[in-house]
Amino acid sequence: SMVRLEAFAEVESTNDYLLEQAPPPIRRFRVALADFQTAGRGRMDRRWDAPPGSGLCLSIAYTFQRLPAQVSALTLAIGQALIDGLARSGYCGIKLKWPNDLMAKNRKLGGVLTELRTGGAPTVVVGLGLNVDFATVGGTLPARAIDLRSLGDRPIDRVLLTATVIECLHSCIAGFERDGFAQWFDRWPEYDWLRDQQVRVDTGNGAMEGIAAGIDRDGAMLVLADSRQHRVISGSVVPVADANP
Ligand code: BTN
């Protein structure tokens, strides 16, 4: 159950905020959200910038009793759970770009940033940045981005959306602690935005091109290149069509 929910008009980063706070007790969670972040962070040291009120900047901290086996795949399960939740709210056709980008109409709708703090009981902080409605606050969407409002035909009830997202994140993390990644793994092909695309992978120690071929049971991405299957554990992946426009 939830121990605390805090909503800020402005904060540096909801992930940083929760990482600085005392961790929730075992199997409990705590949420922070903000209208605006001054130092929002994305994966791989990128920034996450969004005009005030344009979207959802929300993080949840959860303390596991024991670290789940395939915790590196938690980000994937979270993305899948969010896609399910948004579909139930009437937003269909959203896909996941390994490992953490929510994609709609081939544009980025949002991103997930998962961070783990170990030492004592392991605490995970999962942050979601979701583009909700840029036009209403007079904002312009970045290139290759899209917001939820453009996917539907009516204004968005942000309170309801926030509640849906919190419920989704919490039940996904608690379910993952119980059952691991297996069930999400089986359903991965339904969500996989990169599948069969020619991609460029940059792992930090070299780049490679190949065909995206799904994931393995640990959540590593599989890429076919030089008639071999390569496992990618972390790195950036872009469709070659986007890399050389
Ligand atoms: C990405 O696209 O690489 C992930 C973006 C994650 C952004 C969210 S917004 C709430 C939380 N706080 C942060 O500083 N980052 C995450």
Side-chain angles (χ1 to χ4, degrees):
S1 61
M2 185 158 73
V3 289
R4 201 163 180 167
L5 173 100
E6 289 162 286
F8 298 95
E10 184 180 306
V11 73
E12 286 183 7
S13 148
T14 53
N15 260 43
D16 288 343
Y17 177 76
L18 287 181
L19 285 165
E20 287 157 10
Q21 300 298 304
I26 286 169
R27 294 216 167 120
R28 303 189 72 187
F29 69 101
R30 143 174 204 172
V31 172
L33 58 107
D35 214 35
F36 181 62
Q37 294 183 124
T38 54
R41 294 184 295 108
R43 216 170 61 92
M44 315 222 316
D45 293 325
R46 299 196 186 106
R47 294 180 54 88
W48 177 265
D49 286 315
S54 63
L56 212 57
C57 304
L58 184 149
S59 302
I60 175 171
Y62 178 93
T63 303
F64 295 112
Q65 179 146 46
R66 277 187 302 121
L67 197 62
Q70 298 135 323
V71 74
S72 60
L74 177 62
T75 295
L76 306 183
I78 294 279
Q80 292 174 274
L82 286 167
I83 289 173
D84 287 356
L86 290 169
R88 285 192 297 270
S89 305
Y91 301 97
C92 299
I94 303 171
K95 300 273 178 185
L96 195 52
K97 173 174 175 280
W98 185 95
N100 70 325
D101 288 346
L102 299 176
M103 304 293 292
K105 301 193 169 157
N106 292 332
R107 289 163 184 270
K108 181 160 170 165
L109 176 68
V112 176
L113 178 66
T114 303
E115 297 179 290
L116 197 62
R117 189 167 70 179
T118 51
T123 297
V124 73
V125 173
V126 176
L128 168 69
L130 187 67
N131 301 327
V132 177
D133 187 342
F134 274 60
T136 299
V137 298
T140 350
L141 275 161
R144 291 185 185 172
I146 193 166
D147 60 11
L148 210 54
R149 178 69 182 88
S150 330
L151 298 178
D153 54 9
R154 70 193 66 155
I156 290 167
D157 180 336
R158 302 174 60 92
V159 174
L160 190 58
L161 177 69
T162 305
T164 303
V165 161
I166 293 171
E167 159 59 21
C168 250
L169 294 172
H170 171 252
S171 74
C172 178
I173 298 170
F176 196 96
E177 175 168 42
R178 202 174 52 235
D179 307 324
F181 184 56
Q183 292 165 38
W184 294 111
F185 170 78
D186 292 338
R187 294 183 53 209
W188 176 256
E190 297 167 38
Y191 301 84
D192 190 356
W193 183 72
L194 288 167
R195 181 88 203 191
D196 295 332
Q197 294 201 61
Q198 175 85 21
V199 292
R200 181 147 80 211
V201 181
D202 202 327
T203 57
N205 53 36
M208 149 179 95
E209 279 189 16
I211 304 288
I215 59 172
D216 70 9
R217 295 192 159 270
D218 295 324
M221 181 172 164
L222 302 174
V223 178
L224 299 177
D226 319 316
S227 43
R228 284 210 305 120
Q229 186 168 277
H230 302 254
R231 286 181 81 234
V232 180
I233 296 168
S234 76
S236 75
V237 184
V238 283
V240 171
D242 290 350
N244 316 304

